[in-house]
Amino acid sequence: MRAAMELADEGGIGSVTMRELGRRLGVEAASLYNHVAGKDDLLAGMADLAAAEIDLPSGDVDWKEAMRRRAISARAVFLQHRWAAALMDSRVWSGPYSLIYADRVLGTLIRAGFSPVIASWAFIALDSYIYGFERQRSNFSPSEDVDTIEVAQDVLSAIPEGAFSSLAAVAMEYADKPYDEDGAFEFGLDMILDSLERRLGAD
Amino acid sequence: MRAAMELADEGGIGSVTMRELGRRLGVEAASLYNHVAGKDDLLAGMADLAAAEIDLPSGDVDWKEAMRRRAISARAVFLQHRWAAALMDSRVWSGPYSLIYADRVLGTLIRAGFSPVIASWAFIALDSYIYGFERQRSNFSPSEDVDTIEVAQDVLSAIPEGAFSSLAAVAMEYADKPYDEDGAFEFGLDMILDSLERRLGAD
DNA sequence: ACCTGAACACCGTTCAAGT
DNA sequence: ACCTGAACACCGTTCAAGT
């Protein structure tokens, strides 16, 4: 499983192949079936191991800070394992680790005063945002060292004169200062957290 | 392209195969390469066609209502084409339709008073949530007619006595009333929209 | 201009046979 | 208990050959 994760880290999820994994482990592809039910099982295990790298909410900070840290930690994991977000959210949520994780998150929210149903909705909203942001991010800047300023300038020059004026206005903004990815992530994250806090006060 | 969409609607994205698509069109798989650069090109075209089915924000409602309708329309499209969300957010965003779409969304936000940078952040936050929710949804209830009450009861009985108490509390809530998926979606959506509105007033 | 047939290099998976 | 070698049914893609 760890070997498969290394393989995916290096060459992308597409290079995780039973034959290639066997080669790395010094074994034939067919032998892997003695340790894993099939490729789906392998991918599910990878997803669960990646999920285990996300910090669990700790009990000694308030719920908002705990959720914030969890989100930032998830983003750090996705940065190290770029295949993880796609694997984790396209997979039924049933690894042994996932249960502990869900319980801790829900527990933090319920102790903060949210009802069980609202806690589950908040959990879903936060995770939808966290995973969704990562999936979009990996499109916007496919490689790490892409120059967002250059991208913006390319977009600008590709836009016909007068058309797409709003898109052009945004591209213009990014043409001389780099795109602040952390800022964008925390902007959306804090909107959700602030709304949750407000709702807590209202109930 | 339309034939490929039908194929995906019926049998899932996995059944979209050059050979199978050729069969449906009464042609050999190799012939498809006269009309499409490759399978990647095919999938990109499907994603763009699905995106075209999402309602564009219209000019005669306020920005908040326009964004709300856009989100609900996107969810309706994902319901009809269950393969679409995965395809659209895992793909660089460059179809001919996508440019119009982005321009209209950004234009609506900028006219409402958001700065170009904040408008782009708001766009990213909304889409992250919309796509992310769909990806999670398709795991939680893989088939349409799954009984969420039964699922909750299964979860409950699988939890060891005393462990996972928070998870159990949530499952208990869902054990006698169905899971309100629309409610969950709009809960998160409205949190983001309300926060955006508040920020607009503050600036 | 478009199609066919055959081939190539790859997949995941199975299974008898070995140790 | 674990591994191997060979095979099976599939992929996407290429390309000479046809019309």
Side-chain angles (χ1 to χ4, degrees):
Chain A
M1 215 112 261
R2 257 183 297 273
M5 293 179 73
E6 283 170 27
L7 211 52
D9 286 346
E10 290 165 18
I13 193 67
S15 67
V16 176
T17 277
M18 299 306 267
R19 285 171 168 84
E20 185 62 37
L21 182 57
R23 200 168 304 135
R24 174 167 295 231
L25 294 169
V27 117
E28 292 303 308
S31 308
L32 298 173
Y33 289 83
N34 285 306
H35 304 95
V36 118
K39 188 168 184 183
D40 245 45
D41 192 43
L42 179 74
L43 295 177
M46 290 171 66
D48 206 57
L49 276 181
E53 292 185 17
I54 301 175
D55 287 343
L56 277 173
S58 73
D60 56 351
V61 293
D62 74 333
W63 69 271
K64 201 178 171 190
E65 181 61 22
M67 290 300 110
R68 203 160 196 285
R69 285 192 194 167
R70 176 174 85 84
I72 304 229
S73 168
R75 223 165 94 71
V77 170
F78 295 155
L79 200 121
Q80 208 190 345
H81 306 300
R82 290 222 280 270
W83 43 269
L87 225 56
M88 289 169 63
D89 72 356
S90 74
R91 204 149 293 281
V92 179
W93 217 64
S94 62
Y97 180 80
S98 304
L99 291 177
I100 306 175
Y101 185 77
D103 187 62
R104 286 282 278 273
V105 171
L106 291 171
T108 300
L109 293 170
I110 291 174
R111 264 190 306 279
F114 292 101
S115 75
V117 169
I118 297 296
S120 73
W121 284 5
F123 186 20
I124 289 170
L126 282 167
D127 276 26
S128 293
Y129 175 72
I130 295 168
Y131 289 119
F133 186 91
E134 171 60 21
R135 304 288 261 107
Q136 294 211 307
R137 188 204 66 79
S138 58
N139 307 338
F140 202 77
S141 53
S143 70
E144 299 220 18
D145 43 284
V146 70
D147 188 350
T148 55
I149 293 180
E150 259 178 52
V151 170
Q153 285 167 343
D154 286 353
V155 170
L156 260 182
S157 63
I159 293 175
E161 197 69 34
F164 301 125
S165 60
S166 303
L167 197 55
V170 172
M172 203 92 75
E173 288 287 331
Y174 288 122
D176 57 0
K177 65 166 175 254
Y179 168 60
D180 180 5
E181 191 172 284
D182 288 344
F185 180 72
E186 298 188 12
F187 175 79
L189 175 63
D190 287 334
M191 284 200 293
I192 297 176
L193 290 176
D194 288 346
S195 276
L196 284 174
E197 190 171 35
R198 200 153 10 238
R199 164 171 281 269
L200 198 56
D203 276 356
Chain B
M1 213 113 262
R2 258 183 296 273
M5 292 177 74
E6 282 169 27
L7 210 52
D9 286 346
E10 290 164 19
I13 192 68
S15 67
V16 176
T17 275
M18 298 307 267
R19 284 172 168 84
E20 185 63 37
L21 182 57
R23 200 169 303 134
R24 172 166 295 230
L25 294 170
V27 115
E28 292 303 309
S31 308
L32 298 173
Y33 288 84
N34 286 305
H35 304 96
V36 117
K39 188 167 185 184
D40 245 46
D41 192 42
L42 180 75
L43 296 177
M46 292 171 66
D48 205 57
L49 277 180
E53 292 185 17
I54 301 176
D55 287 343
L56 277 174
S58 72
D60 56 350
V61 294
D62 74 334
W63 69 271
K64 201 177 171 189
E65 181 61 23
M67 290 300 109
R68 203 160 195 285
R69 285 194 196 166
R70 177 174 85 84
I72 305 238
S73 169
R75 222 165 95 71
V77 170
F78 295 155
L79 201 121
Q80 207 190 346
H81 306 301
R82 289 222 281 270
W83 44 270
L87 226 55
M88 289 169 63
D89 73 353
S90 75
R91 204 149 294 281
V92 178
W93 218 62
S94 62
Y97 179 80
S98 304
L99 290 177
I100 305 175
Y101 185 78
D103 187 62
R104 286 282 279 273
V105 171
L106 291 171
T108 301
L109 292 171
I110 290 174
R111 265 191 304 280
F114 292 101
S115 74
V117 169
I118 297 297
S120 73
W121 283 5
F123 186 20
I124 289 170
L126 283 167
D127 276 26
S128 293
Y129 175 72
I130 295 168
Y131 289 119
F133 187 91
E134 170 61 20
R135 305 288 260 106
Q136 294 210 306
R137 188 204 65 78
S138 58
N139 307 339
F140 203 76
S141 53
S143 71
E144 300 221 15
D145 44 283
V146 70
D147 188 350
T148 56
I149 293 180
E150 260 179 52
V151 171
Q153 283 166 344
D154 286 353
V155 170
L156 259 183
S157 65
I159 292 176
E161 196 70 34
F164 302 123
S165 61
S166 303
L167 197 55
V170 172
M172 202 93 73
E173 288 288 329
Y174 289 122
D176 57 1
K177 65 166 176 257
Y179 168 61
D180 179 5
E181 190 172 284
D182 288 344
F185 180 71
E186 298 187 11
F187 175 79
L189 176 63
D190 287 335
M191 283 200 294
I192 297 176
L193 291 176
D194 288 346
S195 276
L196 284 174
E197 190 171 37
R198 200 153 10 238
R199 164 171 282 268
L200 199 57
D203 276 358

